[in-house]
Amino acid sequence: MPLNQQHRFRSLALTAMAAAALSVAGFVESTPAHAKAPQAQPQVLTASAVAVADKYAADTAAQIFKQGGNAVDAAVAIAFSLAVTYPEAGNIGGGGFMTLYVDHRPYFLDYRERAPMSATRNMYLDDKGEVIKGMSLYGHRAVGVPGTVDGMWEAQKRFGKLKWKQVLAPAIKYAADGFVVDDQLIERRDRASKEFAGKTNFDLYFGSMKSGQVFKQPDLADTLQRIADKGSKGFYEGKTAELIATSMTGHGLITARDLKEYKAVWRQPVVASWNGYRVITAPPPSSGGIGLVQLLKMKADLKDKFEGVPLDSAQYIHLVAEIEKRVFADRAQYLGDPDFYKVPVAQLTDDDYILKRAQEVNPEAPSDTKSVQPGLGTSMPEKAETTHFSVVDKWGNAVSNTYTINGYFGSGVVAEGTGVVLNDEMDDFSAKPGVANMFGVVGSDANAIAPRKRPLSSMTPTILTKDDKVAMVIGTPGGSRIFTSIFQVLSNVYDFKMPLADAVGATRFHHQLLPPNTIYQEPYHQLDAEVVKELEAKGYTFSMQGFNGDIQAIRIDDTTPEPMSDPRGRGVSQVIP
Ligand code: GLY
């Protein structure tokens, strides 16, 4: 199929250059004073719309829009609701990223967790210097200082129209009165329960949850009420903070001071021009925005090689894997928290650099992995179970939000008396940097553990605009599969001209440099058996993965929003007049 819409990226937008310059210089933007909420704007879309991870969050959004709230109010209310009704990944005990487009301007909010102040580089190594299995995944020592509540507070204070209490109200009701439990939640609970058995207090809190029955969370309702009453301080100070710090005593590192000093950070998003669109996406400490831009740009650079190559044919999968190999090599080497490490954003997203990388792609056979591999990071498996939601309002504002507690139900620890499920985000650091890997290559320190540092993430909440109007809001969970999944959906929509539902439902595959020449398939849609054979003959190995994302996307066709939830999850998309 001709890809006549593909163009090579031109130069980065000026804003991206400015963002990159800031990151390269290692500056941190201080949180700006809270601007006034947008005033009466003209209605530019036929309706508001959401694509969210469950039906309760969709109902929450409908209530918020009915009360006159905007996309930011709805997003914040959704985030708190999912913390109750989607406890495997929705959270107030984790962190995330929010990409916003408000009054025709792009913004990015980083509310990623931070390492506690007493965290150390080798905290997960034994006295022989080996990684202690599971220590960064389960229990109190796996927990990073949560950022979600401060993130929501910052976003809503800066851009929301409603009162803070109004956006908390739906979540408090679901926690106090309960919600009906879905089969998928029970499956995930059962798996988590086995994983955490004997290690955490998980079963005490979630053991009684039954499919089809109402589940109430009174401790969580009280915690949410304190947040409703006192704002961010209702979590980071006072009773909630005391309960979290007490639950850590003798087990974990987070103190009352860690909580009190947590701050979400407004950063410049990565912004790039592609295919007639402006791509607004996540900067470091996410690797996802840079990864997504590199994938889109390299594919466009290889227009001649992709010309006439059918979607999901052996040649298509080979070319995409070749691109992914190079993107993941850069990810391992260069990416980490920009407050600690000078991430070369401008160089990594520079047109000439990406063209050079694209020219290294071997169209005939897999490139030798060792010759592409620069670092260690990708050899660490990354948890895939995050959650994403997309929102647009009828005034043309948009929010793309991905947040996480890392694995399903995070560390498996519920802070006693709070109902808050705590993350295991410390696992997203490199537990053992600077050591030669299986290829004899020494990895980078960019993502080593340090006090107050944020671990590298793949979360990629993304917004596309055209002529200063929102054209697409998209994101997904999936760990390192996040940006390869978004890339495939965008490619399906804009290069292959597929309807959004087909683009989201289509087969997805994934390669990430390591293990060498391994392509991951998904159970939802497997690749054609003949295609697999052809690629095996080229030297690829195939591996099945249990999960390949839960895309929540909204496409805006001129003035009409079309939301779409991935058929792989229990998400709900809704147009709200
Ligand atoms: N914990 C998954 C991510 O941050 O990408």
Side-chain angles (χ1 to χ4, degrees):
M1 171 172 189
L3 302 179
N4 55 2
Q5 290 303 307
Q6 283 198 1
H7 303 296
R8 213 169 83 63
F9 269 99
R10 305 268 178 252
S11 55
L12 281 172
L14 274 178
T15 41
M17 295 294 270
L22 277 174
S23 295
V24 171
F27 290 132
V28 189
E29 260 207 293
S30 61
T31 303
H34 290 113
K36 241 174 152 247
Q39 295 307 301
Q41 301 160 287
Q43 180 167 339
V44 296
L45 300 187
T46 52
S48 302
V50 292
V52 290
D54 78 6
K55 63 182 180 187
Y56 301 106
D59 286 350
T60 290
Q63 289 173 43
I64 294 295
F65 284 129
K66 211 167 147 197
Q67 292 170 52
N70 63 14
V72 179
D73 293 309
V76 172
I78 289 167
F80 282 115
S81 280
L82 289 173
V84 180
T85 63
Y86 200 87
E88 67 264 48
N91 68 83
I92 56 173
F97 301 134
M98 184 183 280
T99 303
L100 306 94
Y101 194 68
V102 181
D103 290 343
H104 306 286
R105 284 201 200 99
Y107 300 88
F108 182 84
L109 183 59
D110 170 1
Y111 59 95
R112 181 82 164 152
E113 301 92 325
R114 288 164 60 168
M117 286 178 222
S118 57
T120 53
R121 181 184 168 97
N122 295 334
M123 62 186 277
Y124 299 118
L125 303 186
D126 63 18
D127 49 13
K128 294 194 186 75
E130 299 302 328
V131 175
I132 303 168
K133 218 168 160 244
M135 204 179 186
S136 60
L137 286 170
Y138 316 113
H140 296 78
R141 283 179 77 85
V143 185
V145 183
T148 297
V149 175
D150 198 53
M152 295 307 125
W153 173 247
E154 280 294 325
Q156 209 275 337
K157 254 180 83 178
R158 185 168 183 185
F159 293 119
K161 286 168 75 178
L162 299 186
K163 292 199 167 69
W164 175 246
K165 283 192 179 198
Q166 282 175 283
V167 298
L168 263 295
I172 294 172
K173 195 164 160 45
Y174 290 135
D177 298 351
F179 69 98
V180 178
V181 174
D182 184 273
D183 286 347
Q184 190 188 56
L185 175 51
I186 291 300
E187 273 166 41
R188 291 172 178 175
R189 188 277 314 269
D190 289 347
R191 254 185 285 142
S193 182
K194 280 198 196 108
E195 212 177 326
F196 299 137
K199 299 183 186 105
T200 75
N201 65 353
F202 179 77
D203 280 341
L204 271 179
Y205 197 79
F206 288 104
S208 65
M209 199 165 63
K210 290 195 176 58
S211 183
Q213 294 194 6
V214 170
F215 182 62
K216 297 183 185 178
Q217 301 173 80
D219 286 349
L220 185 57
D222 290 347
T223 299
L224 290 166
Q225 190 61 56
R226 287 192 288 276
I227 296 167
D229 293 341
K230 300 197 170 98
S232 186
K233 286 188 177 172
F235 184 86
Y236 294 96
E237 296 179 34
K239 185 168 177 183
T240 314
E242 274 164 33
L243 286 167
I244 294 174
T246 304
S247 84
M248 286 281 154
T249 310
H251 306 291
L253 302 185
I254 295 174
T255 61
R257 190 169 153 224
D258 278 311
L259 291 161
K260 193 169 178 194
E261 295 194 7
Y262 181 87
K263 274 278 154 259
V265 185
W266 291 97
R267 298 188 192 277
Q268 295 290 337
V270 165
V271 182
S273 302
W274 170 73
N275 215 355
Y277 293 88
R278 186 157 60 135
V279 180
I280 304 163
T281 187
S286 177
S287 60
I290 291 171
L292 177 63
V293 168
Q294 287 192 338
L295 289 170
L296 292 169
K297 278 184 168 193
M298 253 194 264
K299 182 165 182 253
D301 280 339
L302 294 170
K303 184 184 168 192
D304 294 350
K305 304 273 184 302
F306 276 99
E307 189 90 46
V309 176
L311 181 68
D312 296 343
S313 61
Q315 184 60 7
Y316 183 82
I317 294 167
H318 165 65
L319 287 173
V320 171
E322 279 285 286
I323 294 172
E324 290 174 341
K325 214 170 220 178
R326 284 156 181 86
V327 170
F328 276 91
D330 280 353
R331 180 190 193 274
Q333 183 72 10
Y334 302 116
L335 296 179
D337 183 345
D339 297 350
F340 286 74
Y341 179 85
K342 290 177 186 175
V343 182
V345 181
Q347 290 95 318
L348 291 171
T349 53
D350 175 73
D351 281 351
D352 292 339
Y353 170 72
I354 292 174
L355 178 60
K356 184 175 141 288
R357 295 289 273 174
Q359 284 165 345
E360 290 162 8
V361 162
N362 181 345
E364 310 300 334
S367 304
D368 173 38
T369 298
K370 197 172 171 182
S371 70
V372 182
Q373 157 75 4
L376 265 182
T378 49
S379 61
M380 291 182 64
E382 191 178 328
K383 289 275 187 175
E385 302 105 347
T386 294
T387 187
H388 177 86
F389 52 85
S390 294
V391 187
V392 291
D393 66 30
K394 58 191 177 188
W395 302 289
N397 304 306
V399 174
S400 186
N401 187 91
T402 315
Y403 72 154
T404 186
I405 37 177
N406 201 23
Y408 281 142
F409 299 100
S411 62
V413 174
V414 182
E416 287 87 358
T418 67
V420 177
V421 182
L422 295 170
N423 67 80
D424 60 333
E425 222 66 58
M426 292 297 285
D427 190 61
D428 277 352
F429 282 114
S430 302
K432 196 180 170 187
V435 177
N437 73 352
M438 59 189 283
F439 297 102
V441 180
V442 176
S444 154
D445 269 356
N447 193 33
I449 303 171
R452 297 171 188 260
K453 191 174 177 183
R454 290 172 157 93
L456 184 62
S457 171
S458 296
M459 293 185 286
T460 318
T462 298
I463 296 173
L464 268 58
T465 63
K466 197 178 181 80
D467 303 328
D468 289 333
K469 288 189 290 193
V470 176
M472 175 76 85
V473 188
I474 188 166
T476 181
S480 55
R481 284 131 181 95
I482 288 177
F483 51 96
T484 62
S485 295
I486 295 173
F487 162 72
Q488 286 174 81
V489 174
L490 292 180
S491 185
N492 292 347
V493 169
Y494 295 109
D495 294 342
F496 287 95
K497 309 281 176 257
M498 286 164 69
L500 186 59
D502 296 348
V504 170
T507 307
R508 292 201 284 269
F509 58 90
H510 176 79
H511 171 65
Q512 58 172 37
L513 186 71
L514 291 175
N517 300 326
T518 300
I519 293 179
Y520 291 93
Q521 292 211 63
E522 56 170 347
Y524 180 73
H525 265 173
Q526 293 192 31
L527 296 165
D528 184 87
E530 286 305 313
V531 166
V532 170
K533 258 197 223 156
E534 220 179 302
L535 286 162
E536 282 172 343
K538 263 189 195 292
Y540 286 105
T541 304
F542 282 81
S543 182
M544 192 57 74
Q545 58 191 352
F547 180 80
N548 203 9
D550 187 23
I551 291 268
Q552 305 294 337
I554 307 172
R555 185 181 190 178
I556 294 99
D557 182 10
D558 192 22
T559 56
T560 308
E562 181 197 10
M564 194 57 58
S565 291
D566 203 317
R568 292 163 181 82
R570 63 178 194 269
V572 171
S573 54
Q574 206 167 307
V575 172
I576 302 160

